[in-house]
Amino acid sequence: MLACGFLPASMLTPIAFLVFNRPETTRLVFEQIRRARPQQLLVVADGPRADHPGEKARCEEVRRIVQTIDWPCDLQLRFREENLGCRRSVAEGLDWLFSKVEQAIILEDDCLPDASFFPFCEELLSRYASDEGVGLISGDNFQNGKNVSPASYYFSRHCHIWGWATWRRAWQKMDLSMSTWPQLRKTNWLEATRGTGPAKHFWKLWFDDAYLGEAGALRTWDVAWTYACWSHEMRCIIPELNLVANIGFGQDSTHTRNGKQRKAFAQGSIKFPLRHPVSKDCFKAADTYTEHTQYYASSLAQRFIHMLRLPISLRSLALLRDGARRLFPKPH
């Protein structure tokens, strides 16, 4: 049995580290990576924004931190001089990553993993490497301490990326432009896969916004990744307890400035050997709980505010009208 907190002498699975301008959180996450001692570390860093005083110095400090390698490691760097923004920087960085490796564990600079996160991902990357129905392995669990399965993990339709792992064969299905969405939107695909009511309305609103790209309110990459997983019928693996704490809430974060809206979830260590689930079906009760606690209830007002920030155009006005109807549906 692999004891909690024990790590092998060296991680065989490559680790990707996505960083930007926060040396304090970068240093904490990098220390956990250093403890894992990956044989290969690939770092993606976006460039500083010209209109943000002092950001260049913070970006340079972050880049110094990630190069303090004191173990045998193939370190590969993709440092941008210009700022691409979260959406393009991450998506293009992961394109670069998977042009070099077949599979990887992926951490952002504000996702602090428990030591057991690394062997958990490594084992399941190997186990499901050729399973086209599995798109990613997450370190996140948003069940608030509830034990929802007798196994060490369960399958979910939600693609949580606060510490995760995937394969080249899955990432190749990612299309940041979401080119198939306009046609799929006209069908009953969302109703068939997510049901009617809040889920359908919520995700249609998000997909509409993500499809706008840089013209949208969110300007992020992960909604397009969720769309890619769903449209290719790929599931996500969720551990029985949360293995990654998000430590990035604050005014210097890109998408989690309101620290009161969510909190960094408590960490835990998963036990080995892993207990594998009998079924690969998505755990509907757990997914429903996540939807109502992490998406609908906590995000409605925020999404509506985002919609108000869209450029004034016929398209954005249509989205605003559509969003208002879906955020505040008539009672049944």
Side-chain angles (χ1 to χ4, degrees):
M1 177 179 291
L2 184 63
C4 294
F6 175 84
L7 285 174
S10 180
M11 285 287 298
L12 299 178
T13 302
I15 294 179
F17 194 22
L18 313 179
V19 300
F20 180 35
N21 67 353
R22 290 187 283 182
E24 295 82 6
T25 61
T26 297
R27 188 173 287 107
L28 292 172
V29 179
F30 184 76
E31 176 59 22
Q32 288 298 85
I33 294 174
R34 188 190 66 78
R35 290 184 61 202
R37 299 171 62 86
Q39 293 183 4
Q40 192 171 13
L41 176 62
L42 302 97
V43 183
V44 175
D46 200 6
R49 294 164 291 188
D51 58 347
H52 283 61
E55 187 163 89
K56 183 177 180 180
R58 294 196 299 275
C59 288
E60 289 174 350
E61 184 177 356
V62 163
R63 296 178 184 199
R64 286 193 295 270
I65 291 169
V66 300
Q67 294 182 79
T68 55
I69 305 296
D70 60 359
W71 71 93
C73 179
D74 172 21
L75 176 64
Q76 299 189 43
L77 306 173
R78 181 182 171 89
F79 288 172
R80 287 281 188 180
E81 294 307 315
E82 74 280 14
N83 183 266
L84 297 182
C86 178
R87 182 174 180 272
R88 284 185 56 201
S89 177
V90 174
E92 293 181 16
L94 294 180
D95 287 343
W96 168 77
L97 168 69
F98 288 110
S99 73
K100 295 179 174 296
V101 301
E102 289 286 342
Q103 61 185 34
I105 296 169
I106 303 163
L107 285 166
E108 296 187 54
D109 58 8
D110 57 1
C111 298
L112 185 64
D114 178 74
S116 63
F117 165 75
F118 298 104
F120 174 75
C121 289
E122 187 163 66
E123 179 174 337
L124 297 183
L125 281 169
S126 176
R127 184 179 181 90
Y128 295 102
S130 60
D131 191 332
E132 295 287 339
V134 182
L136 68 155
I137 300 154
S138 178
D140 308 317
N141 179 302
F142 296 138
Q143 300 301 304
N144 291 322
K146 295 192 300 182
N147 188 358
V148 300
S149 171
S152 299
Y153 57 94
Y154 66 91
F155 291 91
S156 170
R157 60 175 173 254
H158 295 301
C159 306
H160 301 313
I161 44 81
W162 288 352
W164 58 298
T166 192
W167 306 263
R168 175 189 291 165
R169 54 107 177 139
W171 186 254
Q172 285 176 337
K173 296 179 173 62
M174 170 67 164
D175 173 16
L176 190 61
S177 69
M178 297 175 61
S179 57
T180 62
W181 171 238
Q183 289 302 315
L184 205 55
R185 190 185 193 278
K186 297 175 184 178
T187 71
N188 68 342
W189 173 70
L190 269 179
E191 290 89 336
T193 57
R194 299 295 162 255
T196 58
K200 179 193 72 172
H201 299 319
F202 180 88
W203 289 105
K204 184 175 285 187
L205 177 62
W206 270 34
F207 291 159
D208 280 345
D209 184 81
Y211 179 73
L212 291 176
E214 294 298 328
L218 295 175
R219 297 188 295 277
T220 187
W221 62 276
D222 53 338
V223 177
W225 173 231
T226 293
Y227 175 75
C229 288
W230 288 4
S231 60
H232 289 89
E233 298 184 349
M234 295 190 297
R235 299 178 296 279
C236 176
I237 288 174
I238 303 290
E240 64 177 332
L241 72 168
N242 190 55
L243 302 178
V244 182
N246 190 309
I247 58 173
F249 293 97
Q251 290 304 308
D252 60 344
S253 64
T254 302
H255 294 113
T256 52
R257 293 184 181 180
N258 185 0
K260 294 180 180 179
Q261 183 187 19
R262 290 187 189 173
K263 61 181 180 180
F265 293 84
Q267 290 180 271
S269 294
I270 205 160
K271 295 182 179 179
F272 295 84
L274 296 179
R275 307 178 310 281
H276 302 287
V278 175
S279 172
K280 295 181 184 177
D281 292 339
C282 292
F283 200 113
K284 292 182 179 180
D287 279 350
T288 299
Y289 180 83
T290 297
E291 288 164 4
H292 286 282
T293 57
Q294 299 302 311
Y295 295 130
Y296 313 148
S298 63
S299 300
L300 293 183
Q302 183 185 18
R303 294 306 135 211
F304 190 73
I305 291 171
H306 276 309
M307 299 305 298
L308 290 174
R309 294 171 54 199
L310 286 172
I312 300 299
S313 66
L314 290 177
R315 174 61 176 160
S316 61
L317 287 172
L319 274 173
L320 181 58
R321 183 189 64 240
D322 191 52
R325 290 173 178 172
R326 283 151 176 73
L327 289 174
F328 306 105
K330 294 180 180 179
H332 296 288

